[in-house]
Amino acid sequence: MGEAPIYQENVLCIMPFDKPTNVLDDIYDKYPLIKFKFIYQSFIPGLSWAMSQVDVSNEDYQKATILVTATTLPRNPNLVPNLKFIHFISAGIDHITNSPIYTNSDIKLTTSSGIHGPQIAEWVIMQLLAFNHHEKQLLAFQRQHHWGKADDVWNVRDYVGQRLGVLGYGSIGRQTASVCKALGMDIVAYTASPRTTSESKRDSSHIIPGTGDVDGTLPSAWYSGLDKASLHNFLEQNIDVLLVALPLTDRTWHFLGKEEFEILGKRNAFIVNIARGSIIVQDDLIAALKKKRGGLRGAALDVTDPEPLNHDSELWDMDNVAITPHNSGSGSSYAERSFRVLEKNLMNLELGMPLLNEVHRKRGY
């Protein structure tokens, strides 16, 4: 047995979860001199990813060499002179891109990308199956104590042979593709940059063992580009179900609107959005969902624009729409999985290796 490494960090954690004790025990075993300080920050009820205000002392910020956070950041980079990197418990960082830490510092930023695949893929499958099997109608029968007639819900189309288009083939898209492939679906993938080699198709983010599409071999075809022509070429590939799994950036804001829904409407496609609401032009989506011919057959939305969704939005009462409160990524393993990414990056930091899931500021994710 070798000696434990002489390695010390002061990790300040500001987050809405209990301490992930199993991961912390593993970290303490490897790095007995490491110190954690936890400050609990609660969610504001009814507001997706909105957090209560917390007081963080200047002394805590000055001591910190690593910051783990959801939304809270020092108002001035000068308050964190010893900070080596910030680990976000979310996969997206669009909520902090206007902060001084993002715009006026070169502090390294990492995300929890890779931890959401299993739970979000299960949410997606739940929505797809519920829609095709008329779950809303069946639940209405149960509430009414009514034994519905078979012909009320007879028209069930399974997903064998249908095509899933994954707009943003990251960890979430890959795990969803894996499960949909098991249902007999064909997969086509779309990424910002071309993936023409085996190495470029590999998943380089954090991977939960046994999940995803590590080698990128599931798609029967791969498309790329952030211009309209490239996007339209992808959408014209006979897509039956479109999964929106893109990060929100200046380039993807309102990425899907009237023109895109007209293309998808030719196939009477179903839209699933687990990314960010403002990737979609919401009024255009509503119009496409209401069209009797050449429109969308339905949508499952875990995100909307704005959040929470306006009380009087038409989306609430549309029979072909399912809405959930930005919770598809929630799970009992969330904090543990996020801290597993942190654990890997503690080792990478010690060894002088690149950090996992590091944000590229110019790219926006």
Side-chain angles (χ1 to χ4, degrees), residues 270-337:
F270 188 87
I271 299 283
V272 182
N273 190 3
I274 53 80
R276 292 292 186 268
S278 51
I279 291 173
I280 286 176
V281 182
Q282 196 156 280
D283 287 344
D284 292 349
L285 173 65
I286 292 171
L289 288 165
K290 292 167 69 174
K291 288 180 70 171
K292 299 299 183 183
R293 297 185 61 182
L296 302 173
R297 71 176 183 266
L301 308 173
D302 188 48
V303 290
T304 59
D305 185 19
E307 290 185 16
L309 182 62
N310 293 334
H311 182 74
D312 58 354
S313 172
E314 291 182 77
L315 288 170
W316 288 113
D317 297 314
M318 298 179 77
D319 289 336
N320 58 344
V321 174
I323 296 170
T324 59
H326 202 152
N327 74 322
S328 65
S330 301
S332 58
S333 299
Y334 195 107
E336 178 180 351
R337 287 174 175 167

Side-chain angles (χ1 to χ4, degrees), residues 167 190 225 227-235 255-256 260:
L167 192 59
Y190 188 92
D227 59 284
K228 285 288 186 179
S230 297
L231 174 62
H232 290 180
N233 181 44
F234 168 68
L235 297 178
F255 204 48
L256 299 173
E260 291 71 40

